[in-house]
Amino acid sequence: MRLSREQVLALEYDKGQRVFEDEVIEDSSLDDVDHEVLDRYKEILGTDAPDEQVLRSRRFMRDGRLTVAGALLFAQDPSVMMPQARVRVLRYDGIKMETGERLNITKERSFCGPLPKVIQGAYELISSMLREFQFLGSDGKFQTVPEYPEFAWFEGLVNAVTHRDYSFRGDYIRVSMFDDRLEIVSPGALPNIVTLDNMRTTRYSRNPRIARTLVEFGWVRELNEGVKRIYTEMQDSLLNDPVYTEPGGTRVQLTLENNIVARTVRRSEALEDKLSAERLASLDEYEFAAVRLAFTNGKVTARELADHIGRTRRTAGNVLKGISGPSGPLEWHGSAVNDPGQYYSLR
């Protein structure tokens, strides 16, 4: 089958016979450089050599023009030269994307600067939108856990920025946050010998210069070390394993699922938002424990409270009755005083 010139180039890039990040961008120059980022890089290298000399010595510039890697890492706005060089972060209300009148995007922002600034900006935005969950630990104390382990989602973002196929035009990296999952989509198929089955053990970098430089900046860990740890971090957080897929064979998608069904207590629904600080301060130790149990679990029984505070059911029952009157924070549910199914909930 006769291939077009673009298809031949794509095949050469995939086989490693050519490296797209080393291609020269014809209409670029030193004037395009973000000198703040380049100065940080020179500090890392421990050099005060002229900017062009540093870029040339690291193969980021040839004949006064930036290479693809040079532009992505150090240009003020690489998307001017390569429209596909950006990261878009979206937050959706719900578990699927709606369109038209039902459009459910609650927050959206695109990052188009040099990669070190893109990573920093995306990190700060995603961090600000993630939720926290509370649960009662085995030690009887309430613990707060993040929606996803930070290492897992951040490593997924950095891997997408570092290893994506920048020769794949017309698409960009997307981070989509839904109520039940976070998706990171990177344009282009998996590189060379890497497959969905062996990606945890196979060491290969499509953009070795970009990868090396981001390692020096401290953003990237060597090759596939991070992928293995993503699995470990998700497992340690009692979440499902990360899911890697290749939709349409033209992009790589990482999906991290949270545990929204079990972790129903959100930061915005903190107990302090339900009851005033003065009201909480008026509760004694056992009353406060009862309110927290009702809030966290949705309800509380005398047996549950007794087990939690280490007292008899009678004592626990008296505590619950004492704070379930008309003006109390708890509300009683049952058909009779001796109803075995009776319980209390937050009013």
Side-chain angles (χ1 to χ4, degrees):
M1 186 175 80
R2 183 178 296 277
L3 302 180
S4 67
R5 179 56 184 159
E6 287 192 357
Q7 290 173 316
V8 171
L9 281 173
L11 188 59
E12 290 174 341
Y13 293 142
D14 192 52
K15 293 172 69 68
Q17 295 174 346
R18 296 182 63 153
V19 182
F20 182 70
E21 67 171 358
D22 286 340
E23 300 287 350
V24 169
I25 299 179
E26 294 296 337
D27 58 348
S28 63
S29 70
L30 195 61
D31 293 337
D32 296 309
V33 170
D34 184 320
H35 291 280
E36 178 185 349
V37 176
L38 184 55
D39 287 345
R40 283 167 50 196
Y41 186 55
K42 289 167 65 175
E43 288 181 13
I44 292 170
L45 297 179
T47 180
D48 57 359
D51 292 348
E52 185 169 351
Q53 181 181 333
V54 172
L55 293 172
R56 283 192 288 103
S57 67
R58 288 297 178 120
R59 306 287 294 181
F60 294 132
M61 175 171 275
R62 294 205 307 272
D63 301 325
R65 295 169 297 175
L66 293 171
T67 63
V68 169
L72 288 169
L73 288 164
F74 300 109
Q76 299 175 51
D77 187 357
S79 67
V80 172
M81 312 169 200
M82 296 171 285
Q84 71 272 27
R86 59 190 176 109
V87 174
R88 188 182 183 202
V89 179
L90 305 104
R91 173 74 199 183
Y92 293 93
D93 181 21
I95 61 174
K96 64 178 182 179
M97 179 178 64
E98 304 284 1
T99 58
E101 294 182 354
R102 301 176 64 183
L103 185 67
N104 58 334
I105 296 176
T106 59
K107 198 159 192 176
E108 182 274 335
R109 185 175 170 188
S110 291
F111 298 89
C112 305
L115 293 186
K117 287 188 174 180
V118 166
I119 293 172
Q120 180 68 43
Y123 168 80
E124 292 174 355
L125 178 61
I126 295 171
S127 295
S128 71
M129 294 192 293
L130 288 175
R131 301 165 295 185
E132 291 178 347
F133 298 91
Q134 289 181 332
F135 70 96
L136 188 63
S138 58
D139 58 358
K141 297 180 179 180
F142 286 91
Q143 301 179 27
T144 300
V145 295
E147 188 171 1
Y148 310 95
E150 180 177 290
F151 181 92
W153 64 262
F154 185 57
E155 185 70 10
L157 168 67
V158 171
N159 283 346
V161 169
T162 306
H163 303 299
R164 70 151 286 184
D165 183 357
Y166 284 100
S167 69
F168 191 93
R169 305 176 187 276
D171 202 1
Y172 46 83
I173 295 171
R174 289 191 307 282
V175 180
S176 302
M177 302 172 64
F178 298 89
D179 284 354
D180 62 343
R181 68 193 186 280
L182 184 149
E183 297 175 351
I184 301 174
V185 176
S186 177
L190 287 169
N192 203 295
I193 59 174
V194 181
T195 67
L196 295 176
D197 294 327
N198 69 13
M199 63 188 305
R200 293 169 69 174
T201 57
T202 302
R203 303 172 69 85
Y204 182 86
S205 178
R206 175 185 275 128
N207 306 306
R209 294 192 197 283
I210 292 175
R212 174 187 174 183
T213 305
L214 292 179
V215 167
E216 293 169 330
F217 269 101
W219 291 119
V220 173
R221 289 155 184 81
E222 292 290 351
L223 298 180
N224 71 328
E225 171 194 338
V227 175
K228 290 185 290 187
R229 188 174 162 191
I230 291 176
Y231 281 81
T232 302
E233 292 282 334
M234 293 292 284
Q235 292 164 359
D236 289 347
S237 297
L238 304 181
L239 297 173
N240 290 336
D241 281 348
V243 177
Y244 282 94
T245 55
E246 283 190 283
T250 59
R251 55 191 184 276
V252 178
Q253 177 172 313
L254 168 62
T255 301
L256 303 178
E257 298 177 358
N258 61 35
N259 193 1
I260 194 171
V261 175
R263 298 172 175 178
T264 55
V265 185
R266 302 183 182 180
R267 177 192 299 159
S268 61
E269 298 171 348
L271 179 57
E272 289 74 13
D273 292 336
K274 298 291 186 182
L275 298 174
S276 67
E278 293 78 11
R279 187 58 186 276
L280 289 173
S282 70
L283 302 175
D284 64 28
E285 179 184 357
Y286 294 161
E287 291 171 341
F288 184 74
V291 170
R292 289 300 297 264
L293 281 174
F295 175 61
T296 303
N297 300 332
K299 63 179 182 179
V300 59
T301 65
R303 178 183 294 276
E304 291 169 341
L305 180 59
D307 291 341
H308 181 62
I309 63 177
R311 294 293 184 267
T312 65
R313 288 187 62 186
R314 183 172 183 177
T315 298
N318 289 335
V319 171
L320 292 169
K321 290 177 183 178
I323 53 176
S324 61
S327 59
L330 297 186
E331 183 176 2
W332 176 77
H333 302 270
S335 58
V337 175
N338 297 324
D339 181 3
Q342 63 181 295
Y343 65 92
Y344 297 79
S345 66
L346 199 63
R347 189 179 299 279

